[in-house]
Amino acid sequence: MAAIAATVFAMCAACGMPNQSASNERFVDGDVANVSGNWQAIADAIMADGKVTRAETEQAIESYYQCMDENGFSGSYAIDLDIYYWVNDGSWGLDPDVPGYQRLPERFQDPDALGTTQDDFSSYLRSAEGKALMANNDKLEKEHREPCKVFDKVDEMAQAAVDWAAYDRRKFDAIVRCIAANAPAYADRARSVAYGFGDTSTGVMKLSEEFFGKDDEHWAEFVSKPAGSEEYKLNQCFRNPNGVPMRYFGQAEYSGENRGAQ
């Protein structure tokens, strides 16, 4: 079933990190920068000098989701360039009112109210009707996203210059600080994890395994707790350790459920 849209967790200010030093360059070719829909020109301008600055990365992401909005998508996204080079969290899906979009049967649009189960949904997706519906919507989604794919090249250029070890270290430290501030009962346990980064493991992976297990076998023990609990907050620290705001686009009622969230 479609993934649930990311939950915004308001972390305390003490969890924040200093901004990573980087160029604040944004391209300033006014006609290109401000014309909605001129996506290829915007992407080309960002990549013209063969590198993507921190500010240009944010500009590219904002332009990408503006393009998605104008082509029938709704969703949310978060940017935290201190711990990840591109979109840090979020989800999106094609709006059901887009011509040609086929909605799921009513029994799956509010499964809790109607008493349907995950097994019911899985069986439907394996059926001829379910396969046809998904194939139709996947095709429609690809068609509508096509104009926005020009920003994939910007993503690739930014990714090519990433120092993964540095990002991992900053995210590891941010998660530990966040847990100390928001889930203090688990602070000592988080601090006890020795940082390490190698070919087969990272610091963030070790921290995750400490709480959720190697195969996430303990993950449900945290996410199933009430939103105000330290367990829930600890899980949110892994998703959004610096408490950056979620940004929304498209239809205001977007919830991320019952659509193909990415």
Side-chain angles (χ1 to χ4, degrees):
M1 193 172 290
I4 297 177
T7 304
V8 181
F9 180 45
M11 301 293 184
C12 69
C15 302
M17 300 178 63
N19 284 337
Q20 175 187 1
S21 61
S23 169
N24 288 321
E25 174 190 350
R26 281 189 177 220
F27 68 81
V28 290
D29 186 351
D31 290 339
V32 172
N34 297 317
V35 175
S36 172
N38 199 4
W39 311 119
Q40 184 67 63
I42 292 174
D44 289 346
I46 289 174
M47 298 186 292
D49 60 358
K51 66 182 188 299
V52 183
T53 67
R54 181 186 177 99
E56 285 173 334
T57 297
E58 186 164 353
Q59 185 174 21
I61 293 170
E62 290 169 351
S63 295
Y64 170 72
Y65 283 108
Q66 183 183 356
C67 176
M68 293 284 279
D69 185 348
E70 293 185 6
N71 282 278
F73 292 90
S74 294
S76 60
Y77 65 100
I79 304 174
D80 188 350
L81 298 179
D82 285 323
I83 63 172
Y84 196 64
Y85 81 97
W86 200 248
V87 178
N88 183 56
D89 198 2
S91 62
W92 51 260
L94 194 62
D95 292 331
D97 56 1
V98 168
Y101 183 92
Q102 296 180 12
R103 292 176 180 267
L104 288 168
E106 185 178 354
R107 66 185 183 278
F108 298 122
Q109 293 182 31
D110 189 0
D112 293 333
L114 297 173
T116 55
T117 67
Q118 182 65 46
D119 287 342
D120 295 333
F121 186 72
S122 298
S123 296
Y124 173 77
L125 292 182
R126 291 193 296 268
S127 70
E129 178 186 343
K131 289 178 180 178
L133 181 146
M134 295 302 292
N136 174 81
N137 291 348
D138 286 347
K139 179 175 181 293
L140 197 63
E141 186 176 276
K142 289 177 181 177
E143 291 171 353
H144 279 255
R145 185 176 174 269
E146 188 63 32
C148 311
K149 290 177 66 176
V150 296
F151 293 104
D152 290 354
K153 293 294 185 182
V154 184
D155 181 340
E156 292 170 7
M157 182 176 286
Q159 184 177 165
V162 167
D163 181 344
W164 293 110
Y167 271 117
D168 185 71
R169 179 78 229 203
R170 288 196 296 269
K171 185 170 184 178
F172 177 93
D173 291 341
I175 293 171
V176 172
R177 285 196 302 270
C178 178
I179 291 173
N182 295 280
Y186 295 94
D188 288 342
R189 189 172 164 189
R191 294 190 192 102
S192 72
V193 177
Y195 181 80
F197 185 89
D199 294 336
T200 60
S201 183
T202 70
V204 173
M205 287 173 60
K206 291 179 179 179
L207 200 56
S208 177
E209 289 173 1
E210 170 65 26
F211 293 102
F212 306 134
K214 287 191 174 183
D215 297 313
D216 289 339
E217 61 268 25
H218 302 301
W219 180 72
E221 299 170 16
F222 290 86
V223 298
S224 62
K225 297 298 175 63
S229 68
E230 291 196 12
E231 291 76 16
Y232 180 88
K233 291 178 180 179
L234 181 143
N235 180 63
Q236 291 302 107
C237 281
F238 278 86
R239 296 187 62 173
N240 188 6
N242 290 323
V244 299
M246 194 67 68
R247 309 181 190 197
Y248 297 90
F249 66 97
Q251 294 184 7
E253 68 270 21
Y254 178 81
S255 68
E257 297 187 44
N258 297 329
R259 296 186 210 170
Q262 300 293 322

